[in-house]
Amino acid sequence: MQGMKEKSSGQATAGSGAAAPLGASAADGATRADDATRSGRRPAGMSRRQFVMAGAAGAVLVGAGGLGAFARDTAQAAYLRPPGAEDEAHLLARCDRCQRCVQACPYDLVQPRPLTWDFPAVGTPELIYKDGYCDFCMKCVEACPTGALSWDAPSAANIGVAKVVSDACVAWDWGGCTVCADRCPVEGAITLDDRGRPHVDEVLCDGCGLCEMVCPAPSLRAYDASTAEKGIYVVSRQSAAAAVPGALTSAELEELCRTRRTDAGTGTTAGAGAAGSREKGGSRE
Amino acid sequence: MNKMRYLRIGVALAVLAAVLACTFAHVPAGTLCALCPVGFAEIAVASGSVPWALLPGVLALLAVVALLGRVFCSWVCPTSLTRNLFGGRTPRGLTGRTGTCAGCATGAGSAAGDPNAARTRSSLAAQGIVLAVLLAVSLVVHFPVFCLFCPIGLAFGTLFAASRLLITWQPGWELIVFPAMLLAEVFLLRRWCAAICPLGFFFGLAAKLHVRLPFAPKPRADAATCLYAEGCRTCATVCPEDICDATATPRDLEDCTGCLDCKEHCPTKAVKLTGK
């Protein structure tokens, strides 16, 4: 790039010595014509440097596109998206990263994706149930100007599915903790088995994230860094973690990254109909 | 002094601050990306259907350029903001100048050539090549590929990464990578605006309409008081696009970003914003 620096005076013809006051456009036009003939095969009005820059930028865009497609392919990611997102491919093609859904969320759950190896997804919305849960207010869907989040997508009533982490969940080895089952707003979505361990009904669960938000495991297991932080996590229904039936271990959750996509991923979103029965779902059928 | 430049910095910072304020107040106003004609076209080809809901905002932005010229470039675009903040005393503009006007003589008062004949113009063709390539790539890979490089997107990306850091305490690489990319694009690729920016392609088309609108304001030197014949080239020297207001053709005025530095620095206050 350094070599192309500031040669602009070189490509223009040397200014005629005479100062031509107001209306030197004839001389100006002649200069331009001369310039254009010298530019050879390039389209008129483009200097050599501009042509080189545009070509280089085009090459970089082609490279970035290829690398991005490769990154998407190897990451095989399925992030937990806001309600109304169809599948990963649709969201990524449709989202213009305008951050309106991020601004609209009253609970700061919708956050832009950070920059990772899966870099084409940077800036697209994902849900983080750290300090809140989704009550399906649908303000993010209302705010979306591109249709990346839409009312008629199956995920409008079904964001994802909660997965119990067997070695992080307190009820799993000590018993006694019933916080997630007590707080779950969907009747029957989290039930306790005969040993008092929570089980998620994968059809009824709509991924609102209240269980993940209230799970007390982080404070009860603060001494043990080997386990996942929470005893229950909501994952995308397209993720590989969602495809594993029942509870996961911390290692399995880590391996599946909470994000990796299953090939059968889109099929599982069909379970959306069941969650539609939930009253909170509101205006949708 | 550099009154206009500080004003431009203020306006561009105010836009960023307004977007941040909307984020904390949960007003879904969106970033400037919601108005982007390039994003509109990219999404249309990447997803295979036209995002009609974006169109009113896109047309409104282009209407502003048609009425007022490329004011977005110098008053709002984070690229100009970066240049104005970190570009030293003479930040470059669309055509990538260094602060000395190509057609200006060194000796004060001596008759020099017409700066408009010597200036490099922004190139619709170069920007069109970039636009065509990015649309073709977006079509193939099914995501808006230019959004990863856009200086405007990078500026807002940095802003939102910082806000995410404050809300979820998750620092991300984008806090380092985005500002670095922005600075590299602005200061290493000095022809970014003239030869690469695909937004400039749309603005260039709108500017062609702007210079033909008889009522749209354009900077012109009043022949009665202008010192061009005496050798004054002040407007071309301060202009980021090397435009001399005394001899500018409509083609030259297409590149004007309405920064108003010429109006501020004209020694005889001959520069007026007029329709013709």
Side-chain angles (χ1 to χ4, degrees):
Chain A
M1 249 13 112
Q2 297 295 312
M4 306 198 302
K5 264 186 186 176
E6 286 316 305
K7 288 267 191 151
S8 59
S9 49
Q11 61 131 122
T13 51
S16 58
L22 295 174
S25 29
D28 184 40
T31 313
R32 289 296 151 193
D34 190 29
D35 203 24
T37 36
R38 269 199 278 157
S39 64
R41 292 182 305 277
R42 293 188 305 276
M46 199 187 332
S47 75
R48 186 175 56 83
R49 244 165 310 110
Q50 286 172 333
F51 184 72
V52 170
M53 289 286 283
V60 168
L61 285 171
V62 170
L67 191 64
F70 176 68
R72 290 249 80 202
D73 211 45
T74 52
Q76 284 288 307
Y79 307 109
L80 189 64
R81 300 296 194 179
E86 261 172 48
D87 50 49
E88 276 294 312
H90 179 266
L91 184 111
L92 215 67
R94 205 69 180 166
C95 176
D96 75 350
R97 286 88 166 148
C98 72
Q99 315 296 343
R100 283 173 76 159
C101 51
V102 174
Q103 293 176 323
C105 181
Y107 316 114
D108 291 330
L109 305 177
V110 184
Q111 293 293 324
R113 274 287 309 159
L115 186 61
T116 57
W117 162 239
D118 187 17
F119 64 89
V122 68
T124 56
E126 81 176 323
L127 287 180
I128 297 193
Y129 292 138
K130 192 163 180 288
D131 304 315
Y133 71 104
C134 180
D135 65 359
F136 293 86
C137 72
M138 308 310 267
K139 285 185 176 155
C140 52
V141 181
E142 278 168 30
C144 181
T146 65
L149 306 178
S150 64
W151 292 96
D152 43 357
S155 76
N158 193 327
I159 303 167
V161 61
K163 299 301 287 185
V164 174
V165 185
S166 55
D167 57 337
C169 174
V170 173
W172 212 265
D173 53 4
W174 297 332
C177 179
T178 59
V179 173
C180 55
D182 293 345
R183 296 288 300 276
C184 178
V186 183
E187 187 140 359
I190 301 182
T191 50
L192 300 177
D193 65 7
D194 50 0
R195 292 162 65 185
R197 303 182 304 192
H199 284 273
V200 178
D201 184 311
E202 295 182 1
V203 176
L204 289 177
C205 175
D206 62 6
C208 74
L210 181 57
C211 53
E212 181 180 329
M213 182 188 90
V214 297
C215 176
S219 50
L220 296 174
R221 280 195 198 268
Y223 58 89
D224 184 0
S226 70
T227 58
E229 201 181 320
K230 300 258 181 169
I232 190 164
Y233 278 105
V234 177
V235 297
S236 165
R237 285 191 182 268
Q238 295 172 48
S239 67
V244 179
L248 295 168
T249 63
S250 296
E252 281 170 329
L253 186 73
E254 182 70 24
E255 189 193 322
L256 301 171
C257 298
R258 297 182 57 205
T259 55
R260 287 176 74 82
R261 194 167 59 207
T262 56
D263 288 332
T266 36
T268 55
T269 45
S277 61
R278 176 179 166 189
E279 284 307 305
K280 253 182 174 177
S283 52
R284 295 166 318 285
E285 300 179 350
Chain B
M1 302 256 272
N2 283 317
K3 210 171 53 190
M4 282 299 171
R5 187 171 143 202
Y6 294 132
L7 204 56
R8 291 198 300 273
I9 290 174
V11 169
L13 285 178
V15 170
L16 293 180
V19 171
L20 258 195
C22 286
T23 306
F24 287 113
H26 298 295
V27 177
T31 65
L32 295 172
C33 307
L35 308 173
C36 179
V38 179
F40 174 80
E42 276 182 307
I43 289 174
V45 299
S47 69
S49 73
V50 181
W52 294 112
L54 284 177
L55 197 58
V58 169
L59 291 179
L61 179 65
L62 292 179
V64 168
V65 176
L67 287 176
L68 301 176
R70 299 186 197 230
V71 285
F72 178 89
C73 297
S74 63
W75 288 85
V76 181
C77 184
T79 310
S80 299
L81 174 66
T82 310
R83 280 184 182 138
N84 283 327
L85 283 176
F86 308 113
R89 255 169 31 83
T90 51
R92 296 167 296 267
L94 267 182
T95 52
R97 67 188 285 261
T98 49
T100 47
C101 134
C104 305
T106 43
S110 71
D114 181 358
N116 288 325
R119 56 181 292 270
T120 313
R121 291 159 169 186
S122 71
S123 170
L124 271 185
Q127 292 165 334
I129 289 175
V130 175
L131 182 65
V133 170
L134 76 88
L135 289 182
V137 174
S138 297
L139 179 70
V140 172
V141 300
H142 299 300
F143 62 84
V145 70
F146 185 75
C147 295
L148 299 170
F149 296 94
C150 176
I152 304 170
L154 290 174
F156 283 111
T158 309
L159 209 62
F160 275 85
S163 106
R164 182 186 165 116
L165 176 72
L166 292 178
I167 289 170
T168 66
W169 296 108
Q170 286 181 306
W173 282 109
E174 62 270 28
L175 278 172
I176 299 164
V177 174
F178 284 2
M181 282 175 73
L182 180 62
L183 290 171
E185 284 167 4
V186 170
F187 292 114
L188 295 182
L189 305 179
R190 28 176 75 200
R191 304 264 157 185
W192 180 275
C193 303
I196 294 178
C197 179
L199 203 52
F201 178 81
F202 291 97
F203 287 170
L205 292 180
K208 280 189 184 301
L209 179 61
H210 169 73
V211 296
R212 283 166 182 78
L213 289 177
F215 51 86
K218 297 168 271 284
R220 302 308 311 254
D222 180 359
T225 43
C226 176
L227 300 178
Y228 181 89
E230 281 75 36
C232 174
R233 299 289 182 271
T234 305
C235 52
T237 310
V238 297
C239 177
E241 323 307 333
D242 294 337
I243 299 169
C244 173
D245 291 337
T247 63
T249 59
R251 175 62 191 87
D252 292 314
L253 289 175
E254 277 175 27
D255 290 347
C256 171
T257 62
C259 72
L260 302 183
D261 274 349
C262 53
K263 197 170 179 330
E264 182 190 350
H265 290 99
C266 178
T268 57
K269 301 289 166 220
V271 175
K272 304 269 188 310
L273 294 173
T274 61
K276 184 58 209 125

